[in-house]
Amino acid sequence: MKLKELDKKMKECQDCELAKTRTTVVPGAGSEQAEIMFIGEGPGKNEDLQGEPFVGAAGKFLDELLNRINLKREDIYIANVVKCRPPGNRDPKPEEAKACWPWLEQQIKIIKPKVIIPLGRHSLQRFIPEAGISQYHGRALRKEFKPLGKLIFFPCYHPAAALYNGSLRGVLEDDFEKIPKILKKIKEIS
Ligand code: URA
């Protein structure tokens, strides 16, 4: 299956309560051939209205971070753990994340990214429940992830966290600077 086909199916999803309150499904955006896949938490107000991930303030900062390492949105893929906005921007409920999981799994299967970058602790916890973001950010981890096989993760703080806590800005910038080197290393060993 191609992403286009998957997106079409996703847009009709009624698998959890979020379907009742969303304006639009936000499947994700970017290249099907992306080597780097960023995974945020879930759409906010702007994303819900526009159907695109990371278009609000956090998205602007994400664009800046990408720009610093010469990446454009069309070079990468950006998705979220949940594809519909939780009302009032509350955290997604475990059952919502669980219901949405097969979509993300299929996206990863199609894109086959060389590195997955969970943005923020909620995204990281979906992949590595025992890992805390403050300890694991900016470190590459290789993990068997059934049924997808061995995946490489490089967790980063969520860009929105840096908007609330200015001291995280430099940390995020430093972690992003490592991404091209990590990717180069992965390609050398694979
Ligand atoms: N925050 C997220 O985690 N995802 C978005 O798409 C926007 C903001």
Side-chain angles (χ1 to χ4, degrees), residues 131-181:
I133 191 73
S134 54
Q135 192 188 353
Y136 281 86
H137 73 89
R139 288 166 56 174
L141 301 150
R142 192 158 179 259
K143 196 174 183 266
E144 175 70 33
F145 200 83
K146 285 190 179 128
L148 297 169
K150 287 221 163 63
L151 298 178
I152 298 176
F153 298 96
F154 184 75
C156 287
Y157 280 105
H158 195 290
L163 300 178
Y164 297 112
N165 175 357
S167 66
L168 289 181
R169 202 183 167 95
V171 178
L172 253 170
E173 287 172 355
D174 290 349
D175 287 350
F176 265 64
E177 302 253 316
K178 294 184 197 161
I179 295 173
K181 289 174 211 147

Side-chain angles (χ1 to χ4, degrees), residues 1-4 6-7 10 27-39 74-80 83 103-116 148 151:
M1 194 177 353
K2 293 267 184 195
L3 278 182
K4 226 177 172 181
L6 186 68
D7 288 1
M10 234 183 275
S31 164
E32 190 155 325
Q33 280 79 43
E35 296 180 319
I36 309 171
M37 184 168 179
F38 290 85
I39 303 179
E74 50 274 32
D75 303 323
I76 58 165
Y77 196 84
I78 309 179
N80 280 304
K83 317 299 188 197
W103 296 121
L104 185 56
E105 200 172 86
Q106 289 187 72
Q107 288 176 314
I108 296 171
K109 254 190 207 163
I110 294 170
I111 298 165
K112 299 186 193 70
K114 294 205 185 298
V115 59
I116 291 179
L148 297 169
L151 298 178

Side-chain angles (χ1 to χ4, degrees), residues 28-137:
S31 164
E32 190 155 325
Q33 280 79 43
E35 296 180 319
I36 309 171
M37 184 168 179
F38 290 85
I39 303 179
E41 181 183 338
K45 189 175 176 204
N46 295 298
E47 291 78 17
D48 174 63
L49 293 173
Q50 296 181 39
E52 290 279 321
F54 283 93
V55 290
K60 271 209 183 97
F61 183 40
L62 178 61
D63 284 338
E64 272 180 47
L65 290 165
L66 291 171
N67 198 22
R68 288 170 65 92
I69 52 170
N70 294 319
L71 284 175
K72 294 191 179 59
R73 290 221 182 190
E74 50 274 32
D75 303 323
I76 58 165
Y77 196 84
I78 309 179
N80 280 304
V81 170
V82 293
K83 317 299 188 197
C84 298
R85 182 190 183 207
N89 294 351
R90 63 159 169 77
D91 291 343
K93 293 179 184 167
E95 61 268 29
E96 292 160 354
K98 195 171 167 209
C100 214
W101 184 254
W103 296 121
L104 185 56
E105 200 172 86
Q106 289 187 72
Q107 288 176 314
I108 296 171
K109 254 190 207 163
I110 294 170
I111 298 165
K112 299 186 193 70
K114 294 205 185 298
V115 59
I116 291 179
I117 306 196
L119 293 170
R121 69 189 165 102
H122 292 290
S123 175
L124 176 58
Q125 271 173 8
R126 290 307 302 171
F127 292 98
I128 314 174
E130 68 277 15
I133 191 73
S134 54
Q135 192 188 353
Y136 281 86
H137 73 89

